[in-house]
Amino acid sequence: MIFILLLVIGVFICIGYTITVGSADIGFFEVYKILVNQIFPDAFDVGDRADKIVVTTIRAPRVLMGVAVGMILATGGCIVQSVLRNPLATPYTLGISSSACFGAALAISFGLRMTNSTIAVIMSAFIFSMIPVSVILMAAARRSVTPVTLVLCGVAISQVFSACNTILQYFASPETTKDIVFWAVGSLNECSMWMVLYVGITALVFVVAALYLSRDLNILKMGDDTAESLGINANNVRLIAIVIACVCTAVAVAFTGAIGFVCLISPQVCRIIIGGELKYLIPSSALVGAILLIVADTIGRTVIAPTILPVGAITALVGGPLLVYMLMKRNNSMSV
């Protein structure tokens, strides 16, 4: 509980600090005054109108979106690793990212030029990311939903959509191919406040649902026979948890692209520190994911400013060595 409390404080500090980073000089407390005024108008006296515009239209949307997406990805990774009993498993393992990338690539190649809007990309990515969920449901209807079945279905789906995406890029123009690759890496550049509302609600609902399932998932880790003896339908719990994780991850990926490594490293870091009890691991993983993503995004937009590096590349560069270091410190922590 102390660790979770410290993470909550850390999230609020990171939100305030990362919004202050940029060419416009805006103070830490000034940021929160402006944000509070958006909920309670005229609660604080904010003098400079330009600062308000910078915070509400440019910096706050990408930071708040980073918090919401980080929570979704980390919680999804925690749930999938627990259900599949595999420390390397994530929703991306089940084909969410590759199918969403292909859907976005189709919209970029055909729909986006006609609509001149990001809505076409978001909708196409989400619709195609539902295909792995449908395959998992169909597989569950024909046989037991074992971890091996889920992983094999995910690998097959990922390979199919990766191949389709490669073929599409092969025939696309250089400019379109560049846009597809940039989207696939993941970025917060196109975020707006209306997007934050949808993804933020999804993040909160996902964390609450995961906490509701945490007791059954803890029992499920002891084996299907033990779970059945305690009155828990192992197949149903596993299927519900996987579907919820995939759908919520699909929402995040549809809005920001396939930001990698957050769903892998966040649960592992928390598991090393506080153990595998999901009642505590789920909220702590969500908070660590939020901090990791907004810090990585801040690094990406400041390290070689004014050029902004894609946040997906930064999360891998920062998270990879950190995970290796922590695993070397505790070589028994890869168990789920």
Side-chain angles (χ1 to χ4, degrees):
M1 293 301 296
I2 294 174
F3 180 64
I4 294 173
L5 179 61
L6 292 175
L7 288 176
V8 171
I9 297 173
V11 168
F12 279 99
I13 293 175
C14 288
I15 290 174
Y17 174 74
T18 52
I19 293 178
T20 65
V21 176
S23 56
D25 187 14
I26 304 174
F28 179 87
F29 294 104
E30 191 77 10
V31 166
Y32 275 105
K33 288 180 181 179
I34 294 173
L35 292 178
V36 171
N37 278 353
Q38 302 306 303
I39 303 174
F40 305 102
D42 300 325
F44 295 99
D45 181 22
V46 181
D48 195 342
R49 180 177 174 82
D51 290 347
K52 177 182 176 181
I53 295 175
V54 169
V55 170
T56 57
T57 62
I58 300 175
R59 296 183 186 175
R62 73 182 298 140
V63 172
L64 296 178
M65 178 67 86
V67 171
V69 171
M71 291 177 64
I72 291 174
L73 295 180
T75 305
C78 182
I79 292 296
V80 173
Q81 289 172 13
S82 175
V83 169
L84 300 184
R85 296 195 286 272
N86 186 337
L88 300 178
T90 68
Y92 292 172
T93 307
L94 302 177
I96 297 298
S97 62
S98 58
S99 57
C101 286
F102 179 68
L106 283 178
I108 292 172
S109 300
F110 304 107
L112 186 61
R113 291 181 177 180
M114 294 183 289
T115 62
N116 195 27
S117 171
T118 58
I119 297 178
V121 178
I122 293 172
M123 293 302 298
S124 181
F126 180 77
I127 291 170
F128 274 86
S129 61
M130 289 296 97
I131 294 178
V133 179
S134 302
V135 173
I136 290 172
L137 291 173
M138 288 188 293
R142 298 182 63 88
R143 57 176 299 174
S144 298
V145 191
T146 64
V148 174
T149 302
L150 293 173
V151 171
L152 291 177
C153 286
V155 170
I157 295 169
S158 294
Q159 292 299 318
V160 170
F161 280 109
S162 294
C164 293
N165 200 14
T166 300
I167 294 173
L168 186 62
Q169 293 181 39
Y170 184 81
F171 290 102
S173 66
E175 187 66 25
T176 300
T177 301
K178 184 185 74 172
D179 293 338
I180 293 172
V181 172
F182 189 79
W183 189 95
V185 174
S187 172
L188 301 175
N189 291 344
E190 303 296 330
C191 296
S192 303
M193 272 300 186
W194 70 268
M195 299 180 183
V196 176
L197 178 63
Y198 290 102
V199 181
I201 292 174
T202 302
L204 293 177
V205 171
F206 185 25
V207 173
V208 171
L211 288 172
Y212 179 78
L213 292 171
S214 62
R215 175 182 172 275
D216 292 345
L217 293 176
N218 275 326
I219 297 175
L220 200 63
K221 290 191 291 185
M222 295 186 289
D224 288 4
D225 293 337
T226 302
E228 297 286 351
S229 67
L230 295 174
I232 295 174
N233 190 318
N235 286 331
N236 286 349
V237 171
R238 186 180 293 117
L239 182 62
I240 292 171
I242 287 294
V243 169
I244 292 175
C246 288
V247 170
C248 293
T249 302
V251 173
V253 172
F255 279 90
T256 61
I259 300 174
F261 225 82
V262 176
C263 44
L264 176 63
I265 187 174
S266 300
Q268 291 294 348
V269 170
C270 295
R271 191 174 286 113
I272 291 172
I273 297 174
I274 65 172
E277 172 60 50
L278 290 176
K279 181 171 62 175
Y280 305 111
L281 184 62
I282 289 171
S284 60
S285 297
L287 295 170
V288 168
I291 293 173
L292 174 63
L293 191 52
I294 60 177
V295 169
D297 180 60
T298 304
I299 294 173
R301 60 190 173 93
T302 57
V303 65
I304 54 172
T307 301
I308 300 177
L309 298 177
V311 66
I314 302 299
T315 55
L317 287 174
V318 174
L322 177 61
L323 179 60
V324 171
Y325 170 76
M326 297 193 74
L327 294 178
M328 290 176 64
K329 295 287 287 184
R330 283 188 58 180
N331 56 14
N332 63 338
S333 59
M334 287 297 285
S335 60
V336 178

